[in-house]
Amino acid sequence: MEEKREKAPHVLVVPYPAQGHINPLLQFAKRLASKGIKVTLANTIYLTKSMKAKTGLVAIETISDGFDEGGFESSESTETYHERLKEFGTKTLTELIEKQNSSTLPFSCVIYDAFLPWALEVAKRLNLPAGAFLTQLCAINVIYYHVYLGKISVIPQESGTIYVPGVMEFEVSQLPSFVSAPGSYPAFRELLLNQFSNLEKADWVFVNTFDRLEGEVVSWMEERFPVKTIGPTVPSMYLDKKVNGDNAYGLNLWNPNTGTCMKWLDARPNASVVYVSFGSIAALGPEQMEELAWGLNGSNNYFLWVVRGAEENKLPNNFVEETREKGLVVNWCPQLEVLAHKAVGCFLTHCGWNSTLEALSLGVPLVAMPQWTDQPTNAKYVEEVWRVGVRAKLDQKGIVRREEVELSIKEVMEGENREEFKRNASKWRELAIEAVDEGGSSDKKIAEFVAILNKEDK
């Protein structure tokens, strides 16, 4: 006797296999699950084995990237990894969907990271509607879209300005590094531009931002794609507190020094600590590391600095011991808990989008030290559009010197614009909560999507 098929929506979520991409998609998946939708996240075999997962109502299945024992680090090159990810991912994603679709709870649609345009082709071949998920600021996506169309040419000069239709005018140094320095990291540049290779075929385009943050840019994009802004994708505990048990992302590649960090922060005065982190990928050169270290020391503020284990050898000799009274250096920390702590006065960051969005969502002013990819553009928004901090200036060698580190921290922590930065940061926090709260712009768009899924499954 044939098993009875359940009449309930079931969404398959397929992230690009990196923590900074998995976490926002997982948070979106949790939002969908909180509204009664069955959600399954397809992670790679290697990352599923490597991560300690607490995903709540979201189920986990696996696909292969062709490197099941070592993941990205075991590939000979970025190009090789992406080639095998497409080859093995296409095959195993197809098998996963076909297997599930012969069960009592087949998939209703696929939501895929736009870094994986082949996932859209799989979904369409199997007659499933599909939505792309863009993890970055909407303005970044528009810039890359213009480059993909050939409307923004390669920029050989080191200075000057360029106008991006639908966004604004930028100095070359404020554009994503794959635009301002197109010869750098060609494999990643191709990955970013290929997001638009078949985007017009997607039934929905979800973006990890919210309308009030960049309204005009969102409107420009909505005229061209079926865009739904559904951010910020930050655990509910730190925003509207409406999703039960959603107090962390749930997936981590590293073990945070939670107890050590929080105990240390608890002993510090309100708004007295500079939190410093450059995320999970960015690696500072030894000279920049030394300048940053002594700049932090010279600012005369307490500091909590995340230095990954592989980067510790770049610290100045005896720096940790000499600054023990005012600083704490750890390999990893629970960033959301730290940013939410009353002792933190500002966040010195590389301006990756996840980190920037977390700071905005928690009302923390910023000192921006962008390194590559979208970070220079995010830093422009931090300093000039949202007015929640400053961007530290580079010297002629492309280094932020210790004096500039000190000056930037002091400007945010005690300068004449300090109150404006704090006021604006608090405003963006309120608007972020408003966006995801019941009836807010992002919540409304998620609800519209859920209504479509429920209607199609009846």
Side-chain angles (χ1 to χ4, degrees), residues 314-344:
K314 299 176 185 176
L315 288 169
N317 291 334
N318 301 319
F319 174 78
V320 174
E321 291 74 17
E322 291 180 23
T323 59
R324 194 176 299 279
E325 292 300 315
K326 65 172 68 172
L328 175 65
V329 178
V330 297
N331 292 144
W332 202 245
C333 77
Q335 182 157 289
L336 284 167
E337 288 185 53
V338 169
L339 289 173
H341 199 285
K342 64 183 186 302
V344 172

Side-chain angles (χ1 to χ4, degrees), residues 32 45 78 85 128 152 166-167 187 204 218 228 234 277 282 348 374:
L32 294 176
I45 293 169
T78 302
L85 174 61
L128 284 175
I152 294 180
V167 191
W204 310 277
V218 170
K228 288 185 179 294
V234 171
S277 177
L348 196 160
D374 61 326

Side-chain angles (χ1 to χ4, degrees), residues 137-207:
L137 183 71
C138 211
I140 295 289
N141 298 312
V142 174
I143 292 170
Y144 287 140
Y145 179 57
H146 283 304
V147 175
Y148 173 77
L149 294 176
K151 294 184 177 181
I152 294 180
S153 302
V154 170
I155 303 167
Q157 72 270 28
E158 295 181 358
S159 60
T161 60
I162 185 169
Y163 175 71
V164 179
V167 191
M168 66 177 76
E169 189 171 76
F170 292 86
E171 295 178 12
V172 171
S173 63
Q174 297 170 331
L175 288 165
S177 59
F178 300 127
V179 181
S180 61
S184 62
Y185 304 97
F188 282 110
R189 186 174 193 270
E190 182 181 6
L191 189 71
L192 287 158
L193 299 186
N194 279 347
Q195 294 180 100
F196 305 99
S197 62
N198 58 3
L199 194 64
E200 76 284 351
K201 297 179 183 178
D203 296 279
W204 310 277
V205 176
F206 302 102
V207 188

Side-chain angles (χ1 to χ4, degrees), residues 3 14 33 54 57 92 105 159 189 268 285 345 367:
E3 289 184 287
V14 188
K54 295 181 181 179
L57 296 173
T92 54
L105 191 57
S159 60
R189 186 174 193 270
R268 303 294 175 268
V367 172

Side-chain angles (χ1 to χ4, degrees), residues 225-287:
F225 298 101
V227 166
K228 288 185 179 294
T229 51
I230 48 77
T233 55
V234 171
S236 176
M237 170 66 182
Y238 297 94
L239 291 171
D240 60 324
K241 299 179 172 57
K242 298 290 178 64
V243 181
N244 290 334
D246 185 26
N247 55 10
Y249 285 114
L251 286 173
N252 269 306
L253 278 169
W254 296 274
N255 292 318
N257 305 83
T258 304
T260 301
C261 292
M262 303 317 290
K263 182 178 179 181
W264 187 86
L265 286 172
D266 287 343
R268 303 294 175 268
N270 289 359
S272 65
V273 175
V274 180
Y275 169 57
V276 187
S277 177
F278 286 77
S280 58
I281 296 177
L284 303 183
E287 186 177 5

